[in-house]
């Protein structure tokens, strides 16, 4: 791709979805023309492999058939390969967001349900924008992302790999229940627009939990998402509430484990987290309000913590009724990371951005928030190799079997060429338009502003 085409493509991802949708259609042929998996050799690069504490010496990397086929300090020769001179710059794995909502970024709860055609088109635009920020994989924790994943995997639009959960499972008045009073009383057997759209499913018994869990697995869910406690954005769920009871969570865990995968739960408080763990859940999302006893339990059981370094900006756009809950969670952010470090919890990083294309454009900035507790190297390890390890929990339901988030032979070729050393200056990731010179996913170059491409 020419430098001028790449720059024009990048620029469209920093405007609103209404403008970007039309621009994407015009730019798409230039992107999709690059999707042939021709071999690529990166020469003279310093490698951050996703898990080491330091860069490699000058190295060469062969990409072939979507995978990393060779890493060597000696010259690599491959017939028909595109050779890219890295000029001593840093080659690192693509970023992974472990808590993303592909279908809920560019819309509000009202507009999202009012016109699902619009919602899906906006989600496609935002997915391309996500990739162009350097996020080559996202773990989707709620929403009808199955069609978007399919169209991206087919190469019809550029976007990240998606690990979909499908509809999040909630109880009546739980987090994720965006129904109105007009939808009450609930009529057993009838679905509301929220449920018909696949955004969330209201389940109030073990049998309903099993059925809806199996429906998500039938559609291709790589993991199951339950909301085991109250949340910030939902209008009728107190933050301190514990929602599902143990037998209901156990029903989801059993159904998911029968399919070779796992359940992750949204939970903030000690009671919600402990109930979920005792029911067999493997991943806790958030956990900002846990106590020492709960953190110890997570460590003893080997439970994954998937959490987010929220800041004041994360509350932008929330209704006034949610602000008190948001500030309670915000004040708990240091709490959860201090426990994560104290007990060496297996900790994944994500953003959990909802209903705001403006906040989505700051996705990279949320990685910088980790600097309050971690070094730049530790933050990058979390957003690459560690998040990639979390993805392996999907087991037989892993839509992309193989290693992601690492630079090693046999891993997926999801790569970023960075202008500068992010292990020393993490702020480089906050300006992907200028500092990510090459963005490659699955061996395909989607952005190149090095000048080496024709």
């Amino acid at each position: 791709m020419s430098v001028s085409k790449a720059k024009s493509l990048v620029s469209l991802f920093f405007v609103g979805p209404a403008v970007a949708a039309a621009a994407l259609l015009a730019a798409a042929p230039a992107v999709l023309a690059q999707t042939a998996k021709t071999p690529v050799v990166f020469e003279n690069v310093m490698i951050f492999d996703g898990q080491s504490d330091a860069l490699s010496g000058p190295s060469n990397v062969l990409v072939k058939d979507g995978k990393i086929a060779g890493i060597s300090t000696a010259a690599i020769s491959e017939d028909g390969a595109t050779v890219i001179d890295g000029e001593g710059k840093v080659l690192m794995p693509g970023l992974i967001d472990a808590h993303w909502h592909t279908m809920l970024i560019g819309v509000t709860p009202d507009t999202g349900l009012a016109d699902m055609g619009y919602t899906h088109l906006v989600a496609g635009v935002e997915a391309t924008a996500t990739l162009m920020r350097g996020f080559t994989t996202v773990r989707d924790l709620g929403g009808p992302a199955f069609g978007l994943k399919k169209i991206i995997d087919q190469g019809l639009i550029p976007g990240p790999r998606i690990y979909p959960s499908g509809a999040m499972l909630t109880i009546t008045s739980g987090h994720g229940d965006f129904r109105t009073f007009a939808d009450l009383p609930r009529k057993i057997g009838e679905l509301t627009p929220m449920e018909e759209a696949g955004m969330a499913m209201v389940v109030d018994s073990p049998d309903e939990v099993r059925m809806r869990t199996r429906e998500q697995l039938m559609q291709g869910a790589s993991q199951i998402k339950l909301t085991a406690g109250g949340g910030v954005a939902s209008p009728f769920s107190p933050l301190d509430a514990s929602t599902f009871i143990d037998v209901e969570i156990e029903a989801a865990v059993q159904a998911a484990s029968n399919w070779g995968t796992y359940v992750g739960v949204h939970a903030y408080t000690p009671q919600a987290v402990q109930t979920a763990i005792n029911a067999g859940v493997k991943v806790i999302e958030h956990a900002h309000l846990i106590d020492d006893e709960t953190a110890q339990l997570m460590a003893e059981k080997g439970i994954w913590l998937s959490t987010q370094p929220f800041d004041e900006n994360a509350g932008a756009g929330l209704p006034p009724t949610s602000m008190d809950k948001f500030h309670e969670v915000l004040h708990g952010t240091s709490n959860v990371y201090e426990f994560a470090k104290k007990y060496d919890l297996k900790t994944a990083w994500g953003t959990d951005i909802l209903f705001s294309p403006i906040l989505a454009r700051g996705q990279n900035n949320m990685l910088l928030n980790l600097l309050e507790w971690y070094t730049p190297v530790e933050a990058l390890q979390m957003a690459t190799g560690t998040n990639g390890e979390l993805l392996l929990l999907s087991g037989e339901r892993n839509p992309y079997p193989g290693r992601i988030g690492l630079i090693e032979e046999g891993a997926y070729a999801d790569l970023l060429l960075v202008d500068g050393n992010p292990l020393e200056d993490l702020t480089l990731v906050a300006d992907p338009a200028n500092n990510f010179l090459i963005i490659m996913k699955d061996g395909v170059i989607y952005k190149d502003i090095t000048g080496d491409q024709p």
Side-chain angles (χ1 to χ4, degrees):
M1 186 188 303
S2 69
V3 174
S4 61
K5 283 184 179 179
K7 287 182 176 177
S8 64
L9 178 63
V10 171
S11 66
L12 71 88
F13 302 117
F14 295 89
V15 298
V19 176
L24 178 62
L25 294 176
V31 178
L32 300 181
Q34 307 300 315
T35 56
K37 293 184 182 179
T38 55
V40 175
V41 175
F42 290 93
E43 293 186 339
N44 187 22
V45 292
M46 314 289 280
I47 298 172
F48 167 62
D49 64 7
Q51 54 190 2
S52 298
D53 293 331
L55 298 176
S56 73
S59 303
N60 307 301
V61 177
L62 171 63
V63 171
K64 191 174 182 180
D65 298 325
K67 299 287 185 71
I68 297 171
I71 302 171
S72 176
T73 56
I76 295 177
S77 177
E78 178 71 22
D79 290 343
T82 297
V83 178
I84 296 174
D85 182 2
E87 299 179 344
K89 293 179 172 61
V90 173
L91 189 70
M92 63 171 281
L95 298 171
I96 302 170
D97 193 325
H99 193 123
W100 190 244
H101 293 278
T102 56
M103 303 302 298
L104 305 177
I105 295 300
V107 296
T108 66
D110 292 336
T111 62
L113 292 177
D115 186 343
M116 286 304 298
Y118 173 83
T119 295
H120 282 272
L121 287 171
V122 167
V125 171
E126 293 293 346
T128 304
T130 302
L131 177 62
M132 300 307 291
R133 289 190 290 266
F135 288 87
T136 51
T137 302
V138 297
R139 179 170 162 264
D140 189 286
L141 269 294
F146 300 117
L148 179 60
K149 175 189 178 299
K150 183 176 181 180
I151 201 169
I152 291 172
D153 289 347
Q154 290 176 344
L156 297 178
I157 66 170
R161 302 178 188 275
I162 298 176
Y163 279 72
S165 300
M168 66 183 84
L169 306 188
T170 184
I171 67 162
T172 295
S173 194
H175 178 61
D177 184 357
F178 287 99
R179 296 176 301 168
T180 68
F181 293 145
D183 296 312
L184 303 180
R186 179 189 182 194
K187 299 178 179 63
I188 302 300
E190 293 185 9
L191 299 180
T192 59
M194 174 192 75
E195 294 170 304
E196 289 178 341
M199 295 292 188
M201 301 300 297
V202 178
V203 288
D204 287 318
S205 71
D207 286 341
E208 285 189 311
V209 170
R210 268 188 290 269
M211 177 174 63
R212 300 308 184 200
T213 294
R214 289 166 177 163
E215 286 176 349
Q216 307 319 304
L217 293 168
M218 179 179 179
Q219 294 174 85
S222 52
Q223 64 282 322
I224 297 299
K225 162 79 174 294
L226 266 69
T227 62
V232 171
S234 298
F236 308 118
S237 66
L239 199 59
D240 62 301
S242 292
T243 52
F244 285 96
I245 60 176
D246 51 2
V247 292
E248 292 169 332
I249 301 175
E250 287 168 0
V253 169
Q254 184 181 43
S257 62
N258 285 346
W259 278 59
T261 186
Y262 69 96
V263 171
V265 301
H266 160 111
Y268 286 113
T269 65
Q271 181 179 347
V273 172
Q274 290 186 34
T275 299
I277 292 172
N278 291 333
V281 165
K282 292 185 177 181
V283 184
I284 302 295
E285 308 293 326
H286 312 312
H288 290 65
L289 305 179
I290 59 171
D291 56 16
D292 194 273
E293 177 188 354
T294 307
Q296 286 189 64
L297 178 65
M298 293 180 68
E300 291 167 3
K301 298 286 189 179
I303 304 300
W304 273 88
L305 169 66
S306 170
T307 194
Q308 304 79 35
F310 291 131
D311 60 20
E312 194 68 45
N313 293 327
L318 288 173
T321 54
S322 293
M323 291 310 297
D324 286 345
K325 294 191 288 183
F326 169 71
H327 282 111
E328 187 176 350
V329 169
L330 182 62
H331 293 153
T333 300
S334 288
N335 175 72
V336 70
Y337 281 110
E338 287 164 5
F339 281 134
K341 297 197 69 163
K342 178 180 179 180
Y343 291 106
D344 194 26
L345 301 180
K346 296 184 289 188
T347 305
W349 170 85
T351 58
D352 192 25
I353 298 171
L354 287 169
F355 307 131
S356 176
I358 295 175
L359 288 181
R361 296 197 284 275
Q363 185 179 13
N364 302 61
N365 289 314
M366 281 191 67
L367 189 58
L368 304 187
N369 292 352
L370 289 177
L371 294 177
E372 184 173 342
W373 307 278
Y374 300 95
T375 66
V377 175
E378 290 170 333
L380 285 175
Q381 288 169 338
M382 198 179 297
T384 55
T386 301
N387 278 0
E389 184 181 351
L390 170 63
L391 299 177
L392 296 177
L393 287 183
S394 291
E396 294 301 316
R397 302 286 76 77
N398 190 337
Y400 311 103
R403 297 309 300 267
I404 294 176
L406 300 175
I407 296 182
E408 64 179 21
E409 290 192 17
Y412 283 107
D414 299 347
L415 303 170
L416 307 175
L417 185 66
V418 185
D419 189 9
N421 183 359
L423 277 66
E424 295 178 351
D425 181 8
L426 192 61
T427 63
L428 292 168
V429 305
D431 187 6
N434 291 308
N435 296 328
F436 292 169
L437 304 179
I438 288 179
I439 297 175
M440 170 183 280
K441 191 199 83 175
D442 201 31
V444 177
I445 295 174
Y446 287 94
K447 173 189 173 184
D448 181 359
I449 56 173
T450 64
D452 283 352
Q453 290 293 296

